Amino acid sequence: GMNCIADTPCPAILKGGPTPLPTTPPTRHPTFPPVESDDESKRFCGFDWADVTENCLTATPCPGGDARICPDGMNCIAETPCTDEEYLDWLRQKQASNGSGNDVANPSSG
């Protein structure tokens, strides 16, 4: 007898042959609790979500959701952690420890 496998639509199994289900790559988010609704103060310019989260300290806010105020080619990304003081502190420490690639003005660290 055939049993249904968890998280698989049974008809796909019974039609003969396992149909590979499309696997969605996991969305990259920091481990902060998700916010229920879109907070416009958390909208910042960036190429994508990962780009914004790396560059919170220099990202341009776009509270209106309008990418036209963003630098060329950037989008207005919602739900960034860029207003979270704990995240910003962590980001500053991270950039200070590994030296961000943009830090050309200060080549001799230490």
Side-chain angles (χ1 to χ4, degrees):
M2 283 187 136
N3 295 329
C4 290
I5 302 167
D7 297 329
T8 322
C10 293
I13 299 170
L14 302 177
K15 273 180 198 153
T19 318
L21 298 171
T23 53
T24 345
T27 337
R28 289 171 52 190
H29 286 299
T31 55
F32 295 106
V35 183
E36 289 304 305
S37 63
D38 181 2
D39 180 348
E40 60 182 36
S41 71
K42 296 182 180 180
R43 297 178 190 154
F44 285 83
C45 297
F47 293 106
D48 54 36
W49 202 90
D51 177 57
V52 174
T53 57
E54 282 292 313
N55 299 295
C56 277
L57 300 170
T58 55
T60 309
C62 51
D66 190 351
R68 283 178 299 186
I69 67 168
C70 296
D72 273 352
M74 288 190 174
N75 304 309
C76 184
I77 312 290
E79 290 305 310
T80 72
C82 294
T83 54
D84 185 314
E85 278 306 320
E86 283 181 39
Y87 180 79
L88 294 176
D89 284 344
W90 175 82
L91 205 57
R92 287 183 195 103
Q93 287 168 6
K94 181 184 162 196
Q95 290 186 353
S97 64
N98 70 2
S100 71
N102 310 337
D103 202 1
V104 185
N106 200 359
S108 57
S109 60

